[in-house]
Amino acid sequence: YIVTNNHVIDGAAELDVSLNDNRTFKAEVIGTDPQADIALLKIDADEDLPYLPFGDSDNVRLGEWALAVGNPFNLTSTVTAGIISAKARDINEYDSNPQSFIQTDAAINPGNSGGALVNINGELIGINTAITSQTGSYVGYAFAVPSNNARKIVEDILEYGDVQRGILGVSGTSLNP
């Protein structure tokens, strides 16, 4: 199983997954959560593949080192380093889509989406997801879906076929003075 961003695979008619050793596999979409921007894919390999263990993103601390892995600008297997700048960050608090991103200053650019944000123990703490800049490229901060959120989404997709969310029945909005 492979966890990535929904926006990476959205609208694709056919999916191929390429590994670092240049092997390519046809991928099947097991499920998606567009709201959280997470997708779960499956490939069939003849052998066990290496993987990253999930870390506990709730235990991530501000100032902790993080590594962002991805393929920005078609550069294969790029790793950048930074620190955790913030937790529970909502990029746009006015869009009625509450978010809870990990913010990092590890360089994340187009092509890093769906890649791993890893702690110094080699554990997955986030899925690189978004940048906000006027140029569309890295400007000093980027955002990742916390691994605990991604894990819950993956477990729900595998168990129920979709994501189970609690509903309070009350909605709120930001108010100005």
Side-chain angles (χ1 to χ4, degrees):
Y1 290 100
I2 298 169
V3 181
T4 190
N5 287 131
N6 182 66
H7 77 263
V8 170
I9 60 116
D10 191 34
E14 190 175 295
L15 296 170
D16 291 325
V17 172
S18 297
L19 304 182
N20 284 343
D21 62 9
N22 295 322
R23 289 185 292 164
T24 302
F25 297 89
K26 295 289 182 201
E28 169 190 1
V29 177
I30 301 300
T32 64
D33 182 6
Q35 183 177 343
D37 197 18
I38 292 293
L40 180 63
L41 309 178
K42 183 178 183 194
I43 62 173
D44 291 319
D46 296 336
E47 61 194 69
D48 290 340
L49 298 173
Y51 61 92
L52 284 175
F54 276 92
D56 186 348
S57 56
D58 290 343
N59 290 336
V60 169
R61 300 176 64 137
L62 301 186
E64 179 179 321
W65 282 99
L67 303 172
V69 182
N71 300 302
F73 308 117
N74 293 318
L75 300 171
T76 305
S77 299
T78 298
V79 178
T80 58
I83 62 167
I84 302 300
S85 308
K87 293 170 51 173
R89 181 73 78 199
D90 190 343
I91 297 174
N92 182 354
E93 60 189 43
Y94 302 106
D95 67 355
S96 299
N97 182 23
Q99 299 165 318
S100 182
F101 289 122
I102 294 173
Q103 181 180 322
T104 181
D105 69 349
I108 294 176
N109 282 291
N112 276 100
S113 292
L117 185 66
V118 180
N119 65 18
I120 61 171
N121 298 320
E123 299 167 327
L124 180 74
I125 57 171
I127 304 294
N128 302 327
T129 300
I131 54 177
T132 58
S133 76
Q134 295 180 1
T135 65
S137 293
Y138 174 75
V139 292
Y141 51 90
F143 304 94
V145 174
S147 61
N148 289 358
N149 295 15
R151 181 192 323 227
K152 193 248 188 245
I153 291 165
V154 166
E155 288 171 352
D156 281 0
I157 289 170
L158 289 172
E159 186 170 346
Y160 305 109
D162 63 1
V163 179
Q164 305 295 299
R165 288 195 169 81
I167 299 173
L168 181 60
V170 176
S171 61
T173 185
S174 298
L175 300 174
N176 61 29

